[in-house]
Amino acid sequence: MSRPLYQVADVLERNEESLSAYTGNTWQLRTLHALRKCRTAALGGHIDRCDNGQCRQLQLSYNSCRNRHCPQCQGHKREAWIRARGSELLNVPYFHVVFTLPDTLNQLCLHAPKTVYTILFGTAWGVLRDFGADPKFLGADMGMVAILHTWGQNLSLHPHLHCIVPGGGITANGKWKYARNKGKYLFPVKAMSKVFRARFVESLRKEFDRPRSFYDKLFAKDWVVYAKRPFASPQYVVEYLGRYTHKIAISNHRITSLADGRVSFTAKDYRKGGAVQLLGLSDAEFIRRFGLHILPKGFVRIRHYGILSSSRKKMVLPLLMAEMGRCTPEEKPPPILHRRCPRCKEGTLVTVFMFDGRGPPEHWMVKLENQNRNTPNKTA
């Protein structure tokens, strides 16, 4: 994929002096400044040399912020996560289930995001777990991987949980039991929606002292839970899920213009079949909306439950794979080559010098300038 013409960091940089006016708390402000400085001289950097004797190319790189909200820092993390999950795939159908909170709760999400989102995770898993345990629907112990997203395509607040659920579970005798129709049907979504709403509101009552009218409004709305049809194959699950795990509110590639103090970006309108439209926001509004999706410090947005939890999967998954076969070969995947030399495509970049925010010494800059002046660009 080609480099984007514009970046979220560009918007933050040109509004550096006024960022504090657009954010709700110091953690959001700290995060925005980290994104603004990402891969710039402000964070320091390093000089690498290709270990290929016929190349020996020098390359100057600035350090990444490594913040989970940064559009520039998710690629390697996503690839590593996908590889780790690939070895855990069961040879069964998988469902994509989404639990969505109504917009009535948006203000509460802004006021107490950690509490509300924790309730969302717990309630979603409780619904799936109990439906799975009910012999009327399955009668087995299930698992789930859940990823929290808080945004809509226009950057508005839209909290929802993406859940990947195996189409079945483990019975009391330790055997795998498929969901209905050989795992092609999970549970009735209308029933799940009602139970999800009731349990979520019950948990809210325990945490927040709000008037009865507030909770009446929540029950007046239909809550959205839907389950997409099973994936074409288990191997596709992790690749699909990889799109969601390290996704952020907006990618740099969606930004089409930064002009006259406004940000233009593309967005899909799902009410019109996913048609792409062009939206425009002022810098201030763009930054404000982006800040809505900065999660509280330390909040875990990817969670594993049931037979897929870290405490159980090491024991359970090998037994199930022995029973049903593996989805992927049991072999070590090739290394991630993000340190490959971009010039010769053969050597590996080895760091030869690191520097702080003051920048590299002058003699290194002279070497780089001479190299760039005398060496033809073979990547062109």
Side-chain angles (χ1 to χ4, degrees):
M1 184 178 289
S2 60
R3 288 182 176 273
L5 295 176
Y6 308 100
Q7 300 184 25
V8 172
D10 297 332
V11 185
L12 302 177
E13 180 62 31
R14 72 184 187 185
N15 291 274
E16 176 188 359
E17 299 299 327
S18 53
L19 285 182
S20 59
Y22 304 150
T23 54
N25 55 58
T26 55
W27 177 247
Q28 288 183 358
L29 180 61
R30 181 177 169 183
T31 300
L32 293 178
H33 278 299
L35 272 56
R36 178 181 64 82
K37 297 175 183 178
C38 185
R39 300 187 187 182
T40 68
L43 295 183
H46 47 93
I47 296 174
D48 304 322
R49 177 182 281 124
C50 177
D51 64 0
N52 182 353
Q54 296 181 344
C55 179
R56 306 296 288 173
Q57 178 86 354
L58 290 174
Q59 179 165 312
L60 171 66
S61 300
Y62 293 113
N63 292 334
S64 302
C65 67
R66 299 184 180 181
N67 192 288
R68 61 176 171 171
H69 302 95
C70 180
Q72 302 186 81
C73 293
Q74 306 309 309
H76 298 152
K77 294 179 182 178
R78 178 171 55 247
E79 183 65 22
W81 191 92
I82 288 175
R83 288 173 178 241
R85 299 289 83 75
S87 62
E88 300 171 356
L89 279 178
L90 294 172
N91 193 19
V92 300
Y94 282 80
F95 289 85
H96 180 190
V97 184
V98 182
F99 293 85
T100 304
L101 295 183
D103 56 10
T104 313
L105 288 170
N106 281 0
Q107 286 300 317
L108 195 59
C109 290
L110 295 176
H111 171 69
K114 191 171 185 178
T115 301
V116 176
Y117 296 152
T118 298
I119 293 174
L120 174 58
F121 273 106
T123 306
W125 167 236
V127 170
L128 284 170
R129 178 197 61 211
D130 292 348
F131 268 73
D134 190 338
K136 182 172 63 176
F137 298 112
L138 179 61
D141 192 6
M142 300 185 67
M144 176 182 87
V145 179
I147 304 102
L148 173 67
H149 283 184
T150 61
W151 55 84
Q153 281 281 300
N154 62 359
L155 294 183
S156 60
L157 193 62
H158 179 60
H160 55 286
L161 211 59
H162 292 276
C163 307
I164 300 300
V165 184
I170 300 177
T171 61
N173 60 8
K175 298 296 183 180
W176 183 262
K177 182 180 180 181
Y178 284 96
R180 294 181 182 179
N181 196 17
K182 296 182 179 180
K184 296 181 181 179
Y185 176 82
L186 194 58
F187 307 129
V189 291
K190 289 186 177 180
M192 282 200 297
S193 299
K194 292 180 179 180
V195 175
F196 173 58
R197 179 181 61 185
R199 292 188 179 183
F200 192 96
V201 173
E202 180 184 5
S203 296
L204 279 184
R205 290 182 187 273
K206 296 177 182 178
E207 296 290 341
F208 301 100
D209 183 17
R210 294 297 176 103
R212 180 175 178 177
S213 58
F214 173 79
Y215 296 106
D216 289 342
K217 289 180 181 178
L218 295 178
F219 277 108
K221 286 199 168 191
D222 291 329
W223 288 34
V224 178
V225 176
Y226 70 89
K228 294 185 178 181
R229 62 184 181 182
F231 293 96
S233 66
Q235 290 89 339
Y236 185 64
V237 173
V238 174
E239 291 292 337
Y240 182 87
L241 192 56
R243 303 177 194 173
Y244 291 94
T245 53
H246 295 84
K247 197 173 184 179
I248 55 149
I250 184 171
S251 68
N252 288 329
H253 288 276
R254 286 177 54 195
I255 301 176
T256 61
S257 173
L258 300 178
D260 302 322
R262 294 184 64 80
V263 183
S264 298
F265 59 95
T266 58
K268 292 181 180 179
D269 188 344
Y270 292 107
R271 292 172 297 184
K272 297 180 180 179
V276 178
Q277 58 182 344
L278 190 64
L279 300 180
L281 299 174
S282 66
D283 281 7
E285 179 61 12
F286 180 87
I287 296 171
R288 186 194 71 82
R289 292 194 189 188
F290 188 90
L292 298 177
H293 313 295
I294 297 176
L295 296 175
K297 184 178 181 179
F299 188 83
V300 180
R301 62 183 293 266
I302 305 175
R303 305 189 185 190
H304 300 70
Y305 294 91
I307 62 173
L308 300 181
S309 64
S310 57
S311 61
R312 296 187 60 190
K313 64 184 178 183
K314 290 182 179 180
M315 178 181 65
V316 172
L317 295 186
L319 297 176
L320 292 175
M321 290 177 182
E323 175 187 343
M324 299 181 291
R326 298 182 62 89
C327 283
T328 55
E330 191 172 5
E331 58 185 28
K332 189 175 182 179
I336 301 174
L337 300 177
H338 61 268
R339 295 286 291 172
R340 180 67 75 211
C341 175
R343 180 173 177 267
C344 70
K345 303 293 193 300
E346 296 179 0
T348 300
L349 295 176
V350 179
T351 299
V352 294
F353 187 80
M354 294 185 291
F355 55 89
D356 58 20
R358 292 173 294 182
E362 185 176 351
H363 71 277
W364 278 108
M365 294 303 296
V366 171
K367 288 183 179 181
L368 287 163
E369 290 172 3
N370 290 338
Q371 168 191 272
N372 295 336
R373 184 165 52 247
N374 299 326
T375 304
N377 185 2
K378 294 186 178 182
T379 62

